[in-house]
C-alpha cells in the first residue's frame, strides 16, 4: 500500500476574506492541512497540490457569457461529433493564471517548497470546465495526475481542500473510477453548499462511486 495526499485548490481566490470565489471558512483549513502534510504517522508516499489555472476568457466565468454570476449554463461538449450536454454554474472570474488570486495560499507555498510536493494544474483549456484534478468534465483532456500517481505506485488516495462539493468531490470520484482506494477527509475540506439537502446528495453520490468520507 502506498498513500498519496491530494490537496485541492487551496488558492487565494477560494479563500476568505479577499478571494473572488471564497469558500466560507476555507481559510480555517490551511494550517490543519499543513499539519496533516507533515504528520509522520500518515506516511504519505507522495503529496500533490492542485491549482485551478484558468486563462482570462475561461468558459466557466459568468463574464465570458455576459450572464450573472452563479447562474446556470448548459455546456456542450467541445469535441466535434459529441452532442452531450452538461449543466454547470457560471462563476465569478477566479484563478486566472499568474494573478495573485491564482497562487496557492502563502503558507502552502512554503510547505510545497520544503517538502518538494508536485503541483498539478487543471482548467487551462479555455473551452471546457474542470472540477476533477484528473480530467475535464467531459473526461477528454487528462492532466498528468494519474500518470504521476501510477509512476509512484500509489494505491490509496486521500483528498482534502476546496471546495468539498465541487473539485474535492469530483477529484475523489475520478480517483475511485481509476482504481484507487479513495477517501475524503472531511475536516480538512469546506463546501460551497452547506445545506442539509446538498450534504445528503453529496454523501449519496460519494457512496455510489465508492468514495469513503472519513
Ligand atoms: Zn475554476
Amino acid at each position: 500500500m502506498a498513500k498519496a495526499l491530494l490537496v485541492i485548490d487551496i488558492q487565494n481566490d477560494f479563500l476568505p476574506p479577499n478571494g473572488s470565489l471564497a469558500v466560507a471558512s476555507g481559510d480555517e483549513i490551511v494550517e490543519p492541512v499543513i499539519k496533516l502534510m507533515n504528520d509522520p504517522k500518515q506516511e504519505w508516499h507522495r503529496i500533490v497540490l492542485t491549482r485551478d489555472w484558468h486563462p482570462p476568457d475561461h468558459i466557466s466565468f459568468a463574464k465570458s457569457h455576459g450572464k450573472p454570476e452563479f447562474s446556470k449554463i448548459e455546456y456542450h461538449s467541445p469535441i466535434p461529433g459529441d452532442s452531450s450536454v452538461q449543466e454547470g454554474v457560471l462563476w465569478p472570474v477566479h484563478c486566472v493564471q499568474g494573478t495573485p488570486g491564482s497562487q496557492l495560499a502563502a503558507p502552502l507555498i512554503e510547505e510545497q517548497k520544503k517538502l518538494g510536493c508536485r503541483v498539478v494544474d487543471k482548467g487551462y483549456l479555455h473551452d471546457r470546465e474542470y472540477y476533477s484534478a484528473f480530467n475535464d468534465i467531459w473526461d477528454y483532456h487528462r492532466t498528468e495526475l494519474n500518470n504521476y500517481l501510477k509512476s509512484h505506485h500509489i494505491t490509496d488516495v486521500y483528498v482534502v481542500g476546496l471546495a468539498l462539493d465541487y473539485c474535492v468531490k469530483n477529484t475523489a470520484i475520478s480517483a475511485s473510477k481509476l482504481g484507487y482506494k479513495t477517501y475524503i477527509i472531511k475536516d480538512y475540506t469546506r463546501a460551497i453548499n452547506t445545506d442539509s439537502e446538498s450534504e445528503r446528495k453529496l454523501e449519496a453520490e460519494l457512496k455510489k462511486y465508492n468514495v469513503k468520507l472519513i
Side-chain angles (χ1 to χ4, degrees):
M1 198 230 348
K3 288 164 60 176
L5 177 66
L6 307 186
V7 179
I8 306 301
D9 299 2
I10 303 189
Q11 293 164 271
N12 293 326
D13 269 342
F14 293 128
L15 295 174
N18 298 320
S20 65
L21 181 46
V23 180
S25 309
D27 49 336
E28 291 173 4
I29 67 167
V30 178
E31 288 305 323
V33 164
I34 288 171
K35 285 208 180 88
L36 183 67
M37 291 164 72
N38 285 285
D39 182 352
K41 291 198 299 288
Q42 294 291 346
E43 298 185 336
W44 303 120
H45 188 54
R46 283 293 178 279
I47 298 174
V48 177
L49 307 180
T50 72
R51 297 189 300 192
D52 211 20
W53 197 246
H54 295 310
D57 61 344
H58 192 248
I59 195 169
S60 75
F61 298 162
K63 198 180 150 201
S64 304
H65 304 266
K67 288 192 175 163
E69 294 174 352
F70 303 104
S71 57
K72 291 202 168 125
I73 183 166
E74 270 194 353
Y75 286 124
H76 295 262
S77 170
I79 306 303
D82 178 358
S83 59
S84 53
V85 174
Q86 291 191 47
E87 190 166 273
V89 177
L90 290 172
W91 306 110
V93 173
H94 64 278
C95 299
V96 174
Q97 297 163 4
T99 59
S102 70
Q103 303 305 308
L104 295 168
L108 262 186
I109 295 178
E110 294 294 306
E111 231 38 50
Q112 183 262 327
K113 287 183 184 148
K114 190 180 93 193
L115 300 173
C117 310
R118 178 73 174 239
V119 177
V120 168
D121 293 333
K122 65 181 169 72
Y124 43 84
L125 297 183
H126 82 93
D127 65 349
R128 61 197 73 191
E129 175 66 302
Y130 293 67
Y131 293 121
S132 169
F134 288 92
N135 47 259
D136 65 35
I137 60 169
W138 309 99
D139 200 15
Y140 286 123
H141 174 248
R142 310 269 167 91
T143 68
E144 70 273 30
L145 182 54
N146 188 38
N147 287 343
Y148 177 75
L149 298 177
K150 288 269 187 286
S151 71
H152 291 287
H153 310 289
I154 297 299
T155 55
D156 293 30
V157 167
Y158 291 73
V159 191
V160 301
L162 302 171
L164 172 60
D165 44 345
Y166 285 93
C167 295
V168 169
K169 175 187 86 173
N170 284 287
T171 299
I173 289 172
S174 298
S176 185
K177 283 182 179 172
L178 288 163
Y180 301 99
K181 217 169 165 192
T182 308
Y183 304 85
I184 293 173
I185 319 179
K186 199 176 177 195
D187 286 351
Y188 298 84
T189 69
R190 291 293 183 272
I192 291 178
N193 297 297
T194 53
D195 57 287
S196 56
E197 173 67 7
S198 300
E199 283 187 13
R200 195 191 56 72
K201 272 191 189 159
L202 175 78
E203 281 172 19
E205 204 177 352
L206 294 178
K207 201 170 176 190
K208 178 177 157 195
Y209 290 102
N210 204 22
V211 174
K212 307 265 185 308
L213 191 62
I214 59 176

